[in-house]
Amino acid sequence: MKNVLYVGNNLQQSKSNVSSIHVLGSRLEAFGFKLWYTSSKRHKWLRLLDMCWCVLVKRRWVDVVLIDTYSTINFYYALAVSQLCRLLHLPYIPILHGGNLEKRLQRNPKLSRCVFGPAHTLVSPSLFMKDTFESHGYPSVYIPNSIEISKYPFQQPSFESIRLLWVRSFSEIYHPSLAVQILKGLQDLGYDASLTMVGPESDGSFKKVQDLAKEMDVIVTFTGKLSKTDWHQLSKSHNFFINTTHFDNMPVSVIEAMALGLPVVSTRVGGMPYLVSHKKDGWLVPPNDTKAFVETLIYLFEHPEVASSIALEARKKVEGFDWEVVKGQWVGLLK
């Protein structure tokens, strides 16, 4: 098996969600690959220096470099590391995570060409991102985000009341305040509705959402970050999963909700139409549209047979994302 250097967010923080570097890295290790990781530095400049230093130090032992690539400031980490790999004649593989990477391609075509053009391969976790990059002249390999389906017991919920679950980092791009507005809209129409929001603080949005809940006079349960086991257990007492984001690629939290049996209602953005087939295994609504969310949730609540059918079809779909199915694609790429 090859030796792999994985470049990404290797921070071990109690308040942040587990990043892909930990999930994919541990699975590749279990399959027999030798992996090194960078970076665990919190300071942005130190993290960048540490990433580059690790590439330099490990260049004699590494066969390939995996680079988690996002559309925000972390794009510049990928830029620096990829150019160093080029200088050292190290093959590198960007993994395209950022749901808004298309704008990066449009705004910075020259920098994008430097990162993606000479790459050994581009790995896209969603068909949306694959199509996006190929439309800009960058072929990619589709390898979906995976889960271990055996760890996700399927349980169809009951529908005595509307019990909403939201799971993401509290960041503006995920529009957490919309979840509170949805709850308020349901309660104003006389429905018995509740909302639980699971996730860590990211950019100051958590306080804004708390303040909005107080302003709207609704009670929201905030759990902070939970382990996967804990939020999976929590999901059993809920019957809808809402995804309110402005941008998205192929969020693992939505895949997990589909595996657990929660009907998903999501904004129709980015890769979501590639993941969720509207009215078949989930429901898609326009972004930032409280009214559309409320009307959809009421319809599904009042038609539980439709909600149950959606949940069942969603489970069937995400069984195709099981690691036992996906791992062969990674092994074939890295061997």
Side-chain angles (χ1 to χ4, degrees):
M1 291 293 183
K2 286 187 175 180
N3 298 320
V4 180
L5 174 61
Y6 199 146
V7 178
N9 178 13
N10 197 32
L11 292 172
Q12 300 284 349
Q13 298 186 78
S14 60
K15 293 184 179 180
S16 61
N17 284 330
V18 176
S19 64
S20 59
I21 193 172
H22 301 124
V23 177
L24 177 59
S26 63
R27 288 172 179 169
L28 292 175
E29 283 185 332
F31 205 79
F33 290 94
K34 170 64 178 176
L35 272 89
W36 291 276
Y37 301 92
T38 185
S39 171
S40 59
K41 302 295 183 182
R42 297 192 179 191
H43 188 279
K44 292 179 180 179
W45 285 108
L46 289 178
R47 191 184 309 175
L48 176 59
L49 289 172
D50 189 48
M51 288 175 173
C52 293
W53 176 250
C54 193
V55 172
L56 283 169
V57 170
K58 299 297 183 184
R59 67 188 185 278
R60 298 181 186 276
W61 296 278
V62 168
D63 297 303
V64 65
V65 179
L66 300 180
I67 308 173
D68 278 340
T69 306
Y70 296 88
S71 55
T72 57
I73 192 172
N74 292 335
F75 171 81
Y76 294 100
Y77 297 156
L79 174 63
V81 171
S82 64
Q83 300 318 290
L84 182 56
C85 287
R86 290 177 67 185
L87 183 65
L88 299 172
H89 303 289
L90 270 177
Y92 67 92
I93 299 175
I95 306 174
L96 309 174
H97 293 291
N100 207 23
L101 270 171
E102 183 172 21
K103 285 193 175 179
R104 179 65 69 180
L105 293 173
Q106 295 167 347
R107 292 175 180 173
N108 303 110
K110 291 183 179 179
L111 295 182
S112 297
R113 195 155 47 245
C114 289
V115 176
F116 305 121
H120 178 270
T121 312
L122 303 180
V123 171
S124 172
S126 75
L127 290 172
F128 159 69
M129 197 58 66
K130 178 179 172 63
D131 286 353
T132 296
F133 268 72
E134 292 187 348
S135 71
H136 285 80
Y138 301 110
S140 69
V141 175
Y142 168 56
I143 305 180
N145 290 328
S146 64
I147 59 175
E148 295 179 66
I149 200 72
S150 61
K151 296 182 179 180
Y152 295 80
F154 179 77
Q155 176 179 306
Q156 289 217 343
S158 58
F159 295 95
E160 295 85 10
S161 62
I162 300 175
R163 304 182 300 279
L164 307 176
L165 182 61
W166 183 97
V167 181
R168 263 342 240 281
S169 296
F170 280 83
S171 174
E172 285 296 331
I173 63 171
Y174 301 137
H175 203 1
S177 60
L178 179 56
V180 177
Q181 294 164 9
I182 293 166
L183 175 64
K184 175 66 172 174
L186 289 167
Q187 292 184 350
D188 282 351
L189 291 174
Y191 286 87
D192 182 4
S194 62
L195 169 64
T196 301
M197 302 187 75
V198 178
E201 169 65 284
S202 178
D203 63 1
S205 297
F206 182 72
K207 179 65 163 54
K208 292 180 182 178
V209 174
Q210 283 186 313
D211 291 343
L212 180 63
K214 291 179 182 177
E215 178 186 330
M216 289 190 161
D217 194 27
V218 294
I219 297 175
V220 178
T221 301
F222 298 99
T223 68
K225 178 193 173 184
L226 294 179
S227 68
K228 284 188 182 295
T229 301
D230 287 342
W231 90 253
H232 293 172
Q233 182 65 33
L234 181 67
S235 73
K236 295 179 181 179
S237 59
H238 295 76
N239 53 15
F240 291 103
F241 186 94
I242 55 173
N243 184 46
T244 56
T245 183
H246 287 305
F247 306 105
D248 237 325
N249 188 5
M250 191 175 184
V252 174
S253 60
V254 174
I255 295 173
E256 291 177 313
M258 294 168 76
L260 291 165
L262 287 176
V264 171
V265 181
S266 172
T267 46
R268 187 186 289 107
V269 296
M272 292 311 303
Y274 290 76
L275 174 59
V276 173
S277 299
H278 182 48
K279 296 187 179 181
K280 180 180 180 182
D281 49 43
W283 214 278
L284 299 173
V285 299
N288 198 29
D289 193 333
T290 304
K291 184 172 182 286
F293 262 102
V294 169
E295 289 177 349
T296 297
L297 288 163
I298 289 173
Y299 172 80
L300 293 174
F301 174 66
E302 293 183 347
H303 297 83
E305 71 284 357
V306 176
S308 296
S309 175
I310 283 174
L312 185 59
E313 289 299 318
R315 170 68 181 207
K316 291 177 182 177
K317 173 178 281 188
V318 298
E319 285 175 354
F321 300 153
D322 184 22
W323 173 244
E324 291 301 314
V325 177
V326 173
K327 69 181 181 183
Q329 295 172 263
W330 275 110
V331 173
L333 180 64
L334 297 176
K335 69 180 181 182

